[in-house]
Tab-separated table of all heavy atoms in Angstrom:
chain	number	residue	atom	x	y	z
H	220	ARG	N	156.116	105.950	99.076
H	220	ARG	CA	155.083	106.870	98.625
H	220	ARG	C	155.210	108.223	99.294
H	220	ARG	O	155.517	108.322	100.497
H	220	ARG	CB	153.716	106.281	98.925
H	220	ARG	CG	153.413	105.059	98.115
H	220	ARG	CD	151.990	104.585	98.437
H	220	ARG	NE	151.684	103.404	97.657
H	220	ARG	CZ	151.186	103.439	96.421
H	220	ARG	NH1	150.948	104.586	95.847
H	220	ARG	NH2	150.922	102.333	95.768
H	221	THR	N	154.950	109.257	98.505
H	221	THR	CA	155.005	110.619	99.052
H	221	THR	C	154.032	110.813	100.175
H	221	THR	O	154.358	111.419	101.204
H	221	THR	CB	154.709	111.623	97.917
H	221	THR	OG1	155.668	111.406	96.868
H	221	THR	CG2	154.805	113.056	98.385
H	222	ARG	N	152.832	110.257	100.075
H	222	ARG	CA	151.838	110.438	101.149
H	222	ARG	C	152.272	109.725	102.415
H	222	ARG	O	151.999	110.189	103.496
H	222	ARG	CB	150.452	110.004	100.694
H	222	ARG	CG	150.313	108.535	100.395
H	222	ARG	CD	148.883	108.219	100.060
H	222	ARG	NE	148.799	107.066	99.206
H	222	ARG	CZ	147.673	106.604	98.727
H	222	ARG	NH1	146.546	107.198	99.041
H	222	ARG	NH2	147.649	105.559	97.971
H	223	THR	N	152.981	108.602	102.256
H	223	THR	CA	153.519	107.896	103.449
H	223	THR	C	154.569	108.771	104.132
H	223	THR	O	154.557	108.934	105.347
H	223	THR	CB	154.126	106.545	103.055
H	223	THR	OG1	153.113	105.754	102.440
H	223	THR	CG2	154.699	105.817	104.256
H	224	ALA	N	155.445	109.362	103.324
H	224	ALA	CA	156.494	110.256	103.883
H	224	ALA	C	155.865	111.461	104.554
H	224	ALA	O	156.279	111.843	105.660
H	224	ALA	CB	157.444	110.682	102.795
H	225	LEU	N	154.849	112.055	103.935
H	225	LEU	CA	154.185	113.215	104.545
H	225	LEU	C	153.543	112.841	105.877
H	225	LEU	O	153.631	113.596	106.862
H	225	LEU	CB	153.146	113.792	103.587
H	225	LEU	CG	153.704	114.557	102.388
H	225	LEU	CD1	152.589	114.886	101.415
H	225	LEU	CD2	154.436	115.810	102.834
H	226	ARG	N	152.892	111.679	105.916
H	226	ARG	CA	152.277	111.223	107.160
H	226	ARG	C	153.339	111.077	108.255
H	226	ARG	O	153.152	111.529	109.394
H	226	ARG	CB	151.535	109.898	106.929
H	226	ARG	CG	150.952	109.349	108.231
H	226	ARG	CD	150.175	108.055	107.996
H	226	ARG	NE	150.817	107.050	107.187
H	226	ARG	CZ	151.684	106.142	107.648
H	226	ARG	NH1	152.029	106.129	108.916
H	226	ARG	NH2	152.228	105.272	106.828
H	227	LEU	N	154.478	110.473	107.926
H	227	LEU	CA	155.532	110.268	108.909
H	227	LEU	C	156.139	111.592	109.371
H	227	LEU	O	156.444	111.763	110.554
H	227	LEU	CB	156.605	109.348	108.337
H	227	LEU	CG	156.147	107.916	108.082
H	227	LEU	CD1	157.171	107.156	107.276
H	227	LEU	CD2	155.827	107.213	109.367
H	228	ILE	N	156.291	112.523	108.439
H	228	ILE	CA	156.820	113.835	108.817
H	228	ILE	C	155.837	114.557	109.751
H	228	ILE	O	156.252	115.154	110.758
H	228	ILE	CB	157.103	114.682	107.549
H	228	ILE	CG1	158.327	114.074	106.823
H	228	ILE	CG2	157.347	116.136	107.913
H	228	ILE	CD1	158.551	114.649	105.428
H	229	LEU	N	154.547	114.463	109.464
H	229	LEU	CA	153.534	115.063	110.352
H	229	LEU	C	153.507	114.428	111.736
H	229	LEU	O	153.112	115.048	112.705
H	229	LEU	CB	152.153	114.994	109.719
H	229	LEU	CG	151.949	115.915	108.490
H	229	LEU	CD1	150.598	115.633	107.843
H	229	LEU	CD2	152.098	117.382	108.870
H	230	GLN	N	153.966	113.157	111.800
H	230	GLN	CA	154.052	112.457	113.082
H	230	GLN	C	155.368	112.732	113.784
H	230	GLN	O	155.657	112.163	114.837
H	230	GLN	CB	153.882	110.944	112.874
H	230	GLN	CG	152.502	110.558	112.441
H	230	GLN	CD	152.403	109.079	112.097
H	230	GLN	OE1	153.401	108.374	111.940
H	230	GLN	NE2	151.188	108.598	111.952
H	231	GLY	N	156.222	113.578	113.196
H	231	GLY	CA	157.481	113.929	113.825
H	231	GLY	C	158.619	112.955	113.556
H	231	GLY	O	159.592	112.926	114.304
H	232	LEU	N	158.494	112.175	112.488
H	232	LEU	CA	159.518	111.162	112.202
H	232	LEU	C	160.418	111.520	111.019
H	232	LEU	O	161.003	110.630	110.390
H	232	LEU	CB	158.814	109.818	111.937
H	232	LEU	CG	157.974	109.280	113.069
H	232	LEU	CD1	157.226	108.020	112.672
H	232	LEU	CD2	158.847	109.008	114.306
H	233	TYR	N	160.546	112.808	110.711
H	233	TYR	CA	161.383	113.208	109.588
H	233	TYR	C	162.824	112.686	109.728
H	233	TYR	O	163.377	112.122	108.800
H	233	TYR	CB	161.400	114.727	109.434
H	233	TYR	CG	162.387	115.183	108.368
H	233	TYR	CD1	162.066	115.116	107.046
H	233	TYR	CD2	163.635	115.675	108.740
H	233	TYR	CE1	162.968	115.505	106.068
H	233	TYR	CE2	164.547	116.068	107.778
H	233	TYR	CZ	164.214	115.995	106.443
H	233	TYR	OH	165.117	116.372	105.486
Side-chain angles (χ1 to χ4, degrees):
R220 293 182 179 274
T221 302
R222 65 177 153 182
T223 302
L225 287 171
R226 177 178 47 85
L227 294 169
I228 290 169
L229 290 173
Q230 292 174 346
L232 300 175
Y233 173 79

